[in-house]
């Protein structure tokens, strides 16, 4: 099972970006999915999560600016990021709890995609 993240870029403050994360391999189903980020010198932090059956959760720092969504048929996760600020600069990682067999979860991480926001 692999997660491939993409969409990171160098942008200016106020710009928007859309990150994608595609899962591939032997997948029975995907449970919760989420985005995390790690800025230089800081610990990895939660950005947003979305369970299989709906509902979302956001870090306070991104509420109202970021939107997480998923296409379950395509095993793909998205993060729409608007009104970006330099404080959003980080490597963004996608995460998914994937059942490779019914009832057998596997915690999978993508390789990370760099988002850099200049002032």
């Amino acid at each position: 099972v692999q997660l491939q993240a993409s969409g990171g870029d160098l942008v200016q403050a106020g710009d928007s970006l859309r990150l994608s994360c595609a899962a591939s391999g032997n997948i029975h189903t995907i449970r919760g999915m989420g985005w995390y980020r790690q800025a230089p010198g800081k610990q990895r932090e939660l950005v947003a999560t979305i369970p299989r059956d709906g509902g979302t959760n956001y870090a306070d720092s991104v509420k109202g600016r970021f939107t997480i969504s998923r296409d379950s048929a395509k095993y793909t996760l998205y993060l729409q990021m608007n009104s970006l600020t330099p404080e959003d600069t980080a490597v963004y990682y996608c995460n998914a709890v994937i059942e490779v067999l019914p009832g057998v979860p596997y915690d999978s991480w993508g390789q990370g995609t760099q988002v850099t926001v200049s002032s």
Side-chain angles (χ1 to χ4, degrees):
V1 174
Q2 280 191 323
L3 290 179
Q4 182 70 41
S6 62
D9 204 349
L10 170 62
V11 297
Q12 293 186 335
D15 285 351
S16 297
L17 272 180
R18 189 192 196 203
L19 305 183
S20 298
C21 176
S24 61
N26 186 23
I27 299 172
H28 169 67
T29 190
I30 299 180
R31 297 183 182 180
M33 304 183 81
W35 289 99
Y36 295 75
R37 67 186 181 185
Q38 187 166 18
K42 295 186 178 181
Q43 291 187 331
R44 189 174 298 189
E45 64 176 1
L46 180 148
V47 175
T49 59
I50 182 168
R52 177 172 53 192
D53 299 324
T56 56
N57 179 54
Y58 295 94
D60 288 342
S61 59
V62 307
K63 281 181 181 177
R65 299 188 299 122
F66 291 9
T67 302
I68 189 171
S69 61
R70 61 189 287 178
D71 185 332
S72 296
K74 297 181 178 179
Y75 298 142
T76 302
L77 177 70
Y78 304 99
L79 185 69
Q80 177 66 42
M81 305 186 294
N82 299 329
S83 303
L84 285 162
T85 73
E87 288 69 37
D88 296 316
T89 295
V91 177
Y92 284 70
Y93 298 91
C94 56
N95 169 264
V97 178
I98 299 173
E99 288 188 17
V100 296
L101 293 171
V104 181
Y106 175 75
D107 191 35
S108 181
W109 289 88
Q111 85 286 4
T113 184
Q114 176 72 47
V115 173
T116 304
V117 185
S118 64
S119 58

